[in-house]
Amino acid sequence: MRRTEIERLLPAVYQRAAGGGPLAALLDVMEGMHEPVERRLAAVEDLVAPYRAPDAFLPYLLSWLAMDHLGRSLPPGRRRDLAARAGELARARGTAAGLCALLGTVTGVGGFAVDEPADRPFHIVVRVPEAARDQLPLIRMAVALEKPAAVTVDIA
């Protein structure tokens, strides 16, 4: 808030005396104290924008999006991708396509497939692309956390 804006909030008698002296100095100090807060408020949307939020804020942002259980072990870039796709992933949660999209997001590798064998109800087989084989612990954790509770799984 600029000094002139602060002055307009004062009673008329103080507005007339604001031209110099201690009141003018106080108004200058008040303007200086408002400036950092106003700068931060002007950029508040950066806190909730996945690709502009500070790294330290990403875990909190993921908790808002109910994705913190997956984002803890991810590097910042993939955390940002997870936060950016959270709505889409939530809509597809519990489906084969949703699981493939989630695995592609957390690993950074596409090409996952989920098969549902006809002879084994409530069982899925997750097919992992060769490029993601080095991330099997992350894949197992993500599948265990995101598959429906009554479903058994093989990761191939």
Side-chain angles (χ1 to χ4, degrees), residues 8-82:
R8 284 192 302 239
L9 299 174
L10 297 174
V13 67
Y14 286 106
Q15 288 180 21
R16 287 190 296 273
L23 183 55
L26 179 63
L27 291 173
D28 289 338
V29 169
M30 288 175 73
E31 178 179 358
M33 291 177 71
H34 282 112
E35 194 267 330
V37 173
E38 289 174 346
R39 190 174 348 108
R40 188 61 163 153
L41 286 173
V44 75
E45 68 275 359
D46 289 348
L47 291 176
V48 294
Y51 295 108
R52 293 191 316 259
D55 285 347
F57 196 74
L58 286 175
Y60 192 56
L61 181 58
L62 284 171
S63 73
W64 283 358
L65 300 168
M67 292 287 185
D68 52 326
H69 61 289
L70 292 168
R72 287 186 192 111
S73 59
L74 299 178
R78 290 212 201 111
R79 283 182 182 177
R80 292 178 189 284
D81 293 341
L82 186 60

Side-chain angles (χ1 to χ4, degrees), residues 92-114:
R93 191 172 188 193
T95 67
L99 185 57
C100 290
L102 175 78
L103 292 172
T105 302
V106 299
T107 63
V109 177
F112 286 88
V114 174

Side-chain angles (χ1 to χ4, degrees), residues 99-140:
L99 185 57
C100 290
L102 175 78
L103 292 172
T105 302
V106 299
T107 63
V109 177
F112 286 88
V114 174
D115 298 329
E116 300 178 51
D119 60 333
R120 290 187 69 185
F122 302 105
H123 183 78
I124 60 173
V125 178
V126 177
R127 307 257 180 231
V128 179
E130 195 58 43
R133 291 267 173 210
D134 61 333
Q135 299 182 62
L136 280 175
L138 173 62
I139 293 166
R140 284 189 185 99

